[in-house]
Amino acid sequence: MTETIALHTRLKPGAAAEYAEAHANIPTELVAALRAAGVSDWRIWRSGDELFHLVEVEDYQTMRHALADDPVNVVWQERMSALLAVEDDYSGNDRGIEQVWRLP
C-alpha cells in the first residue's frame, strides 16, 4: 500500500530561482535513490517562498531512514539547506502535514 504524505518547507528570501533551477536538473542518481527507497512520485508547488510537497511512497519513515546517510541525498540536502529557511529532519519520525479532511 502506498502512503501519500504532504510536506511544507520554506525558501530563504531570494532563493526561488536557484531552487527552481536545481529542481529542473535533478541528478539521475538522486532519482534512483528516491525510487529505491520506495518513492513513486514527488510533486512540489510554490507560493511565494512557501513550498508544498506531495509524496507518494511505500513507507515514509523507511524512506527517510534509507536516505538519511545516502551519499547522493546528503549532497542534495546540503545544497537544499542553503536555499531552505529551515533544515530538513531525516530522523524519519515526522508524519508530514496532518490531513484534516478528504472528499468522501
Side-chain angles (χ1 to χ4, degrees):
M1 181 172 174
T2 300
E3 294 181 278
T4 301
I5 303 294
L7 304 169
H8 172 243
T9 53
R10 181 174 296 117
L11 290 170
K12 291 178 181 176
E18 187 175 348
Y19 186 85
E21 188 278 325
H23 283 80
N25 299 291
I26 300 288
T28 56
E29 299 85 6
L30 180 59
V31 172
L34 289 165
R35 293 214 183 271
V39 177
S40 58
D41 194 18
W42 193 314
R43 292 170 274 171
I44 304 171
W45 290 263
R46 184 177 68 82
S47 178
D49 289 338
E50 305 299 317
L51 300 168
F52 302 92
H53 311 244
L54 196 60
V55 183
E56 302 286 338
V57 62
E58 290 172 17
D59 183 292
Y60 181 68
Q61 269 85 32
T62 298
M63 179 269 292
R64 298 291 269 190
H65 288 293
L67 293 174
D69 296 321
D70 183 287
V72 173
N73 185 58
V74 168
V75 169
W76 180 258
Q77 293 307 319
E78 288 172 0
R79 183 174 185 192
M80 290 301 103
S81 69
L83 304 174
L84 297 173
V86 176
E87 285 189 32
D88 201 351
D89 171 21
Y90 267 86
S91 67
N93 296 322
D94 70 292
R95 294 290 315 149
I97 299 172
E98 178 184 1
Q99 180 177 313
V100 295
W101 184 80
R102 184 176 185 173
L103 181 68

